[in-house]
Amino acid sequence: MLSPQPNVLFVVMIFVSAFLITLILIPLVKRLSSSIGAMGSDVHKPDKPLIPKLGGLAIFLGTLIPLTAAAIIYNIYATVFVAYLLSAIIASSIGLLEDLRELNPILKPLLISLAGLPIILFGVYSPTPELPFIGQTRMFLVYPLLIIAGYAVLSNAVNSTDVLNGSMALMSIIALIPLIFISYLQGEYEAFIISLTLLGSLIAFLTQNKYPSKIFAGNVGSLFVGATIATIAIVGKMEVAAIIALMPQIMNEFHIIFSIGGLKSARYLAKRPVEVKNGKLYASRDRDSPVTLVRLITAIQPMTEPRVVRYMAMLSAYAAILALITQFLLIG
Amino acid sequence: MQGDKPGVKIFMLIILLTIIWALFLGVSVILSVLITLPEGQVAGDMFMSAARVFVGLFAFAVWVFVWERLTEFWLYRIMLRVE
């Protein structure tokens, strides 16, 4: 696939456009959420305020509008962008449906895995991933199945970290940084442009989503971000680096599934992983409580919500460094 | 648990992440040997291909199990010091 190197002006324009479009859309999305009653409770605050929860629509449009405009105006990266556009629409639609009407927790990952189909149908993947120590491998039959599984795992992993103000956006921003470096240095410019656009959009979103949140991303946002990172990993041929950069998110997802005994809605959990007392989060000492990243972090000591988010970001930064080490030292 | 300084526990979390990373690298090597063929090698017969996939899936399941048990041990015995 033809992948021309973008010039600096194009890169700056697409990043700034994503940032500004998202920033402009946030107030509109807030109004839309309020008008249709799509509000989520901020459960870690004493008064549990209701916050507009369709903020992910601003990330979705803030990422896709500049990308689509670039694909049309410059007539480049068209096949990859059409496949990505369809994949993003599928993931976001499922998220939006979940935000408006709760989906069956078993059905949800199955539906999200459909987001991988456009990537397979348009053939914008290479079934020869590079693995640590081994180098390039051939997975002609298995790879399409891994794409389907990958979308479900990564989207749900990012979704599982959207539990504190700014946590999902900040951890995703940090996970994107090694992918931006790797894609640029390896000449995978489609993945580079998609990563940079999502980064611009997430930074704008974080200004309103950080503590105390004025808007939530919702499932529409977190599933979109997860599906976009899956696309970046596949199109940019950096599957292993993406898995390692998202290790804290994937750990969180799997431990929740294991400790609650399968795919169940978090709303119906009998025991909570953390308790809020005097504005601080305390790790539950109960063995029946689910094991989560927030519980592991608050086991260090009771701490405020913004401090937990800073620790989550620190773990993500460490995972990002491990991703770079793996890519450049062990894969080459 | 109360006696440990927060810095020590942060370090322990970093160690946990490092062990899981190392386990991932180990398993990816095992999986790549069992399931995939490095470029240039010729695929074997159907039975051998199916056997490789099953052994690979088993290795993956063992890794997930070890990872899950390790994190639980880390949370209760090292971070929270729950008996």
Side-chain angles (χ1 to χ4, degrees), chain A residues 5 21 39 92 106 113 125 177 201 272 291:
Chain A
Q5 182 171 5
I21 291 169
M39 309 292 279
S92 306
I106 295 171
S113 63
Y125 66 93
I177 292 169
S201 182
R272 308 304 301 182
V291 178

Side-chain angles (χ1 to χ4, degrees), chain A residues 280-325:
Chain A
K280 283 188 175 178
L281 274 63
Y282 288 73
S284 168
R285 298 179 69 82
D286 191 328
R287 279 186 176 269
D288 292 333
S289 295
V291 178
T292 67
L293 198 57
V294 173
R295 192 175 171 206
L296 272 166
I297 290 170
T298 49
I300 296 170
Q301 63 179 36
M303 57 182 92
T304 59
E305 187 177 350
R307 195 154 173 224
V308 179
V309 175
R310 281 202 291 276
Y311 277 112
M312 290 169 98
M314 186 197 74
L315 289 179
S316 271
Y318 182 65
I321 293 167
L322 293 180
L324 287 170
I325 290 172

Side-chain angles (χ1 to χ4, degrees), chain B residues 2-63:
Chain B
Q2 270 77 9
D4 290 343
K5 288 181 180 169
V8 173
K9 290 194 175 177
I10 296 161
F11 179 70
M12 293 315 289
L13 267 187
I14 297 281
I15 294 288
L16 173 65
L17 209 58
T18 310
I19 293 172
I20 293 168
W21 172 63
L23 284 173
F24 174 82
L25 294 180
V27 167
S28 74
V29 171
I30 294 168
L31 291 183
S32 58
V33 170
L34 295 174
I35 289 190
T36 65
L37 290 170
E39 270 206 334
Q41 279 187 21
V42 183
D45 62 46
M46 204 60 186
F47 174 76
M48 283 308 292
S49 299
R52 275 205 314 269
V53 170
F54 280 116
V55 174
L57 285 174
F58 179 73
F60 178 77
V62 169
W63 169 57

